[in-house]
Amino acid sequence: MSHKAPSLTLRVTILALASLVAACTVGPDFHAPHADMPTQWHDPQQAASATSTASGAAASRPTEDSDPDPRWWHTFCDPTLDALIDRAVQGNLDLQEAVLRIVEARIQVQSAASQGLPDVRATASYTREQLGVKGFLESQGVYNKVDQLSTPNSPVNQIAPGAGAALQSGANNVLNQLTAPINLWQAGFDASWELDLFGRVRRSVEATEAQTQAAIESRNDALLSLEAEVAQTYVQLRGAQAQRQIGASLVEQQHAIVTLTQSQARVGLASELDVKSAAAQLAQTQAQLPQFDQQIAQTLNALSYLLGQPPGSLAAELSAPAAVPPVPPAVPVGLPATLARRRPDIRRAEANLHAATANVGVAVAQFYPDISLTGEIGTRATNASDLSRWSHLFYSFGPSISLPVFEGGALVSNLRLSQAQQAEAALDYRKTVLMALRDVDNALAVYRTDQDRRVALDADVAAQQTAFELARDSYRKGLVTFINVLDAERQLAQAQQQDAQGTTQVSTDLVALYKSLGGGWQDTATAAVAPRAP
């Protein structure tokens, strides 16, 4: 049975359809992973009612009614803290390095995208060549045959006497020109274009864009950490200053106790042991003050470093004591379902998974043929002045195809490696989500329990203050010994210091809670610009 050959139009149509089918992007497409989040936070604080402080005011209570404020440090109502964070965003060197890593990642995207564009180059060359033709002519006996032209017995001389010598001279001139070195001048353009029919370049661009997003999220994470560290260091500074003030106040009170015992001893109502014990208690309290001075100096230097400034630059601005920033009555924490969009580390893990998925497509595309279009055009001459003549034009163009046949298992190993890295990135995403949930629940538990502890410490300070005043009045009246006064004074000092530490710790816990919730980069990321030129 005979069949008619398909028409030219049909064959062109089939080839066009085959090209369209082939022009696809191989490998798996990325789909954003689903973060398995609980419906509410595990910490029982969310269901508990607000506790009451010693003064009767409601304690700071987290609420799921709304998401946390992106500029959470404003909830402390401390203008100094607000200004320090704004200055840190502009001056911190670690944050500027993170910004530069984003710039580097974007340059890599441009480099990957350029692989899918035509490569055009201008070329020019000059060479002086000696082709070695004389050796070939000698080996073929050409020179011997030319020399025989001038002999009398040569056929040329027999036909025309004397013509052999002229013919020999002309042949030698031709041979000399053929065997002489030549100058070759060339100028033109050459171009090549790899047709990304199977999406290798597109997958590479996709991977680098995902890596750029990961770099952006690393910057956001660094920004969030910077804001939290500035806030915590500032709270610690104010806490150290508060403890320093408490210590100085205790020194004044103990000075009064020493004076009291000395006056009592002069009239015979106190012993010398009472005087020495009071002086020893005073010296012990005074010995604690340098520790607070040391902590104040260290936190000031830490803040200076976070702001990108030398040590001591903030001493004049922050040396005056101020109150520890108070916590707000309500702390919006939002629902766990919104955590994945706020936490930069989760977003970075998702971007890394995206990049790993795209790299699998790059590895798959390496199994397919590489099809390129190449071309070259220019002029070539033995004299530079002839390069402008169209008669010296040369060109070549056409497609080329490269198909891997045997790679010794390299392509298969590369694909398996990419798939393993994708699986690892997926596990890393799940682990990052679990760590984020753990951080928030731990921060909620710490915030709740430290507030309960502070409530008890406030009550303890009030009770110890009353006990000290009673002991002091009773000693003046001779109803108790001085040991009772010293014990009451020591317990009051410890209670006041612990209460100040508890207040500082609660504000620090709130900063840690805000950090675990992932806010603080949404409205301030644009302020983290590239570093200034030195």
Side-chain angles (χ1 to χ4, degrees):
M1 183 179 295
S2 62
H3 297 277
K4 290 185 179 181
S7 64
L8 178 61
T9 302
L10 179 60
R11 283 182 289 178
V12 171
T13 303
I14 293 175
L15 289 175
L17 291 175
S19 299
L20 291 175
V21 172
C24 61
T25 304
V26 298
D29 293 328
F30 175 74
H31 300 283
H34 174 69
D36 189 10
M37 293 290 187
T39 57
Q40 63 182 8
W41 303 111
H42 177 262
D43 187 76
Q45 176 171 333
Q46 299 304 309
S49 60
T51 59
S52 297
T53 63
S55 61
S60 176
R61 185 174 59 89
T63 173
E64 296 177 348
D65 295 339
S66 59
D67 290 336
D69 185 359
R71 302 179 71 87
W72 48 262
W73 51 92
H74 288 176
T75 61
F76 288 104
C77 299
D78 192 320
T80 302
L81 175 60
D82 300 341
L84 287 175
I85 290 181
D86 291 340
R87 289 160 62 183
V89 171
Q90 294 294 332
N92 184 261
L93 300 181
D94 293 332
L95 188 59
Q96 293 179 7
E97 288 181 350
V99 173
L100 285 179
R101 284 191 284 271
I102 297 177
V103 175
E104 294 169 359
R106 287 172 176 168
I107 294 175
Q108 292 177 352
V109 173
Q110 297 174 356
S111 176
S114 65
Q115 298 179 9
L117 300 176
D119 182 15
V120 181
R121 300 175 181 234
T123 61
S125 63
Y126 163 76
T127 57
R128 183 171 175 81
E129 298 180 356
Q130 174 56 268
L131 301 179
V133 178
K134 185 175 181 180
F136 291 102
L137 296 177
E138 288 179 347
S139 63
Q140 297 298 322
V142 175
Y143 283 94
N144 292 332
K145 293 179 181 179
V146 171
D147 292 339
Q148 293 175 0
L149 293 175
S150 61
T151 60
N153 296 328
S154 66
V156 177
N157 284 328
Q158 290 179 358
I159 296 173
L167 186 59
Q168 179 190 18
S169 177
N172 285 329
N173 291 334
V174 174
L175 292 175
N176 290 336
Q177 293 179 359
L178 291 175
T179 58
I182 62 173
N183 297 323
L184 184 62
W185 300 82
Q186 181 173 320
F189 298 90
D190 60 69
S192 62
W193 184 16
E194 179 183 351
L195 303 179
D196 189 30
L197 298 181
F198 302 102
R200 183 185 65 83
V201 175
R202 292 192 292 276
R203 289 300 190 192
S204 297
V205 173
E206 182 183 356
T208 53
E209 288 178 343
Q211 291 168 356
T212 301
Q213 185 61 38
I216 293 174
E217 300 305 336
S218 295
R219 187 275 313 275
N220 294 339
D221 197 12
L223 179 60
L224 173 59
S225 298
L226 172 64
E227 294 162 348
E229 191 170 359
V230 170
Q232 288 179 338
T233 306
Y234 177 76
V235 169
Q236 291 169 1
L237 170 65
R238 295 312 188 191
Q241 290 175 339
Q243 289 182 298
R244 176 67 167 77
Q245 286 184 310
I246 293 174
S249 177
L250 289 174
V251 167
E252 293 179 1
Q253 293 178 11
Q254 290 170 2
H255 265 299
I257 294 295
V258 171
T259 302
L260 174 62
T261 55
Q262 288 174 345
S263 63
Q264 295 278 46
R266 282 193 294 267
V267 297
L269 299 178
S271 65
E272 188 65 21
L273 178 61
D274 293 341
V275 176
K276 296 300 182 182
S277 297
Q281 185 77 12
L282 172 61
Q284 183 179 4
T285 304
Q286 288 176 330
Q288 296 177 355
L289 298 183
Q291 298 178 357
F292 299 134
D293 293 333
Q294 180 184 27
Q295 185 178 359
I296 290 172
Q298 290 176 342
T299 51
L300 282 173
N301 289 336
L303 281 174
S304 298
Y305 174 77
L306 293 175
L307 269 63
Q309 298 180 7
S313 58
L314 299 177
E317 179 181 351
L318 300 177
S319 292
V324 175
V327 297
V331 179
V333 297
L335 295 172
T338 63
L339 187 64
R341 292 296 91 196
R342 292 196 308 267
R343 288 269 299 214
D345 55 346
I346 298 179
R347 296 165 62 92
R348 179 176 62 236
E350 180 180 333
N352 289 332
L353 177 58
H354 189 177
T357 304
N359 284 329
V360 173
V362 174
V364 172
Q366 292 176 348
F367 287 87
Y368 290 82
D370 289 335
I371 301 176
S372 302
L373 298 178
T374 60
E376 185 180 13
I377 187 171
T379 56
R380 184 184 297 127
T382 56
N383 294 312
S385 59
D386 295 334
L387 291 177
S388 60
R389 298 183 179 181
W390 284 106
S391 57
H392 292 269
L393 177 69
F394 72 92
Y395 65 87
S396 64
F397 63 90
S400 64
I401 184 171
S402 174
L403 178 66
V405 177
F406 178 74
E407 296 287 345
L411 297 181
V412 175
S413 299
N414 187 38
L415 176 58
R416 290 177 178 174
L417 176 62
S418 300
Q419 292 171 338
Q421 291 173 342
Q422 181 192 26
E424 181 183 2
L427 290 176
D428 182 70
Y429 177 83
R430 293 176 56 191
K431 182 179 70 173
T432 304
V433 171
L434 288 177
M435 291 176 61
L437 293 173
R438 181 201 63 183
D439 291 345
V440 175
D441 265 302
N442 286 346
L444 286 170
V446 170
Y447 188 54
R448 170 176 52 83
T449 55
D450 279 347
Q451 284 194 91
D452 295 340
R453 178 174 177 268
R454 188 185 62 178
V455 170
L457 289 173
D458 290 341
D460 185 38
V461 169
Q464 294 295 343
Q465 183 67 40
T466 302
F468 170 70
E469 293 173 355
L470 290 174
R472 184 183 56 189
D473 294 340
S474 298
Y475 175 71
R476 286 174 178 172
K477 298 175 182 178
L479 301 177
V480 297
T481 65
F482 189 66
I483 296 298
N484 299 103
V485 178
L486 291 179
D487 287 341
E489 183 184 38
R490 183 177 63 253
Q491 293 175 4
L492 174 61
Q494 292 177 352
Q496 288 176 333
Q497 294 290 353
Q498 291 178 355
D499 187 53
Q501 292 176 357
T503 301
T504 303
Q505 188 60 48
V506 168
S507 295
T508 303
D509 293 341
L510 181 57
V511 174
L513 176 59
Y514 278 129
K515 180 182 178 182
S516 66
L517 291 171
W521 56 268
Q522 296 92 332
D523 293 339
T524 55
T526 55
V529 297
R532 297 181 296 270

